[in-house]
Amino acid sequence: MAKSLLEPSAKPPAESAVKPLALTLGEPAGIGPDITIAAWLRRRELDLPAFYLLGDEALIARRAKALGADIRIATVSPSEAASAFTDALPVVETGERATAEPGKPDASSAPAALASIRQAVMDVRAGRAGAVVTNPIAKSVLYRAGFRHPGHTEFLAELAAENGRVPQPVMMLWSPQLAVVPVTIHVSMRDALGELTSALIVSTVRIVATQLKSRFGIAKPRIAVSGLNPHAGEDGSLGHEEQTVIAPALKVLRNEGIEARGPLPADTMFHEAARQTYDCAVCMYHDQALIPIKTIAFDDAVNVTLGLPFIRTSPDHGTAFDIAGTAKANPASLIAALKLARRMAASQS
């Protein structure tokens, strides 16, 4: 696999010019505030990029007190965030107050979380921020408030719409050991089978190939494409989708000059030797892609949304209500998401 942007290396000069990152609040009752505080406290040790949190200063102050964290918080504008970052955790107020206690979402959770996401997208599209980094949300909480999207990825795509056209969002999970993309995302297995088409595979792999070049600096991306069925269908004896859906898509992609290999049996794609032969694995459904990366790189995997007109990264974990406010939350995935966002922003500037 090509050198990962998460591997330690000298910071390119362009990275120092990246604008501060817009970090969303996430679910106020979850561990988003905890890992934000923990990451900021390690900013010098880890040479983290400047970021500002879009949210409610009072909530962050309460959470810092609960965690026993000695931090200074500064309410700023995005243009003031970089200069404030050295000495204080910069917070840009969204106007939505969040009263939720750790582990106990309340009626303030959904408006505060959604306002933070909307403002982050506005800031990056207006040039006030270098990228969007999102803390975990609780979809069940948002659904009770009328949220109609399957997840973060689809909501961000709607916010990125231009002239009524919503871009196709592609969810990538990236780590130093493995990068994966599911073709179908937050849908049931039954619905995934209905959604899987040659056209969707082609459009997904095109986006992956294009953005591995433009945002990850991989000149000739090598993409491994899984089958759908056990043993990639075993020549049709265990299913026909490999022959009727996946193989025709791969033919189109190869004719376009994209190095897309497959369909490959998913059960032999992810051992160490196999991973050295490709830069990204494109899989047919959510768990086929996410189980291997969460097994291999649970703490440092990063969720990246490709196909948007801006950079978005996120920790690859949930809200962890059970440990919110206890100082047990591990900020490693958020730290990786911040570092990757900076590098991706630098690569396209």
Side-chain angles (χ1 to χ4, degrees):
M1 182 170 170
K3 180 176 175 61
S4 166
L5 294 183
L6 295 182
E7 293 177 7
S9 63
K11 185 170 67 173
E15 289 191 13
S16 61
V18 172
K19 292 179 180 176
L21 309 177
L23 176 62
T24 69
L25 177 64
E27 165 53 54
I31 61 170
D34 305 40
I35 58 177
T36 297
I37 292 166
W40 182 82
L41 287 171
R42 299 182 65 186
R43 66 201 181 283
R44 294 191 181 92
E45 169 197 349
L46 301 175
D47 188 26
L48 294 186
F51 64 83
Y52 60 89
L53 181 69
L54 285 152
D56 177 3
E57 181 184 358
L59 173 79
I60 301 305
R62 291 195 305 272
R63 189 64 60 87
K65 183 177 181 180
L67 296 169
D70 183 16
I71 67 168
R72 183 174 162 234
I73 303 168
T75 301
V76 299
S77 66
S79 63
E80 298 168 326
S83 58
F85 185 75
T86 301
D87 299 315
L89 172 59
V91 174
V92 174
E93 295 274 358
T94 63
E96 288 288 348
R97 296 296 171 208
T99 59
E101 295 297 324
K104 300 176 181 178
D106 64 21
S108 71
S109 287
L114 295 176
S116 183
I117 298 167
R118 291 191 184 99
Q119 188 62 52
V121 171
M122 285 192 286
D123 284 355
V124 75
R125 300 196 74 180
R128 294 186 289 266
V132 174
V133 181
T134 58
N135 266 312
I137 56 173
K139 291 189 283 288
S140 60
V141 175
L142 298 182
Y143 293 156
R144 292 196 293 271
F147 187 70
R148 67 182 187 281
H149 302 277
H152 245 141
T153 302
E154 296 82 1
F155 182 44
L156 288 163
E158 181 179 278
L159 295 176
E162 293 181 350
N163 300 319
R165 180 181 175 275
V166 178
Q168 179 188 345
V170 171
M171 184 174 78
M172 170 185 280
L173 277 294
W174 181 275
S175 77
Q177 300 86 13
L178 174 66
V180 297
V181 166
V183 174
T184 61
I185 309 177
H186 297 116
V187 294
S188 71
M189 279 297 301
R190 187 181 301 276
D191 289 342
L193 292 173
E195 288 187 8
L196 189 65
T197 63
S198 297
L200 182 59
I201 295 169
V202 168
S203 62
T204 300
V205 175
R206 280 177 181 155
I207 290 169
V208 172
T210 298
Q211 300 213 330
L212 284 176
K213 291 178 183 177
S214 65
R215 292 185 173 176
F216 289 81
I218 300 174
K220 183 68 174 176
R222 302 165 300 161
I223 300 169
V225 179
S226 79
L228 172 69
N229 298 297
H231 305 172
E234 197 135 334
D235 293 326
S237 62
L238 296 177
H240 60 81
E241 287 84 1
E242 285 74 17
Q243 297 165 317
T244 60
V245 178
I246 303 172
L250 294 178
K251 183 177 180 181
V252 171
L253 292 163
R254 291 172 189 141
N255 287 340
E256 294 177 358
I258 295 173
E259 186 176 333
R261 184 163 52 93
L264 303 172
D267 62 350
T268 58
M269 284 179 62
F270 300 106
H271 62 83
E272 186 174 1
R275 297 198 305 270
Q276 306 311 308
T277 66
Y278 57 81
D279 300 300
C280 180
V282 173
C283 301
M284 296 302 106
Y285 56 92
H286 183 279
D287 284 10
Q288 193 182 49
L290 270 64
I291 287 173
I293 195 167
K294 290 195 176 187
T295 300
I296 292 167
F298 187 80
D299 286 330
D300 58 6
V302 177
N303 188 334
V304 184
T305 304
L306 307 179
L308 303 179
F310 53 84
I311 292 163
R312 180 262 179 155
T313 67
S314 179
D316 180 29
H317 58 68
T319 54
F321 285 132
D322 57 323
I323 59 170
T326 66
K328 294 180 181 178
N330 185 350
S333 188
L334 174 59
I335 289 167
L338 292 164
K339 288 185 173 183
L340 182 57
R342 173 175 61 186
R343 293 194 175 200
M344 291 175 69
S347 72
Q348 70 171 19
S349 59

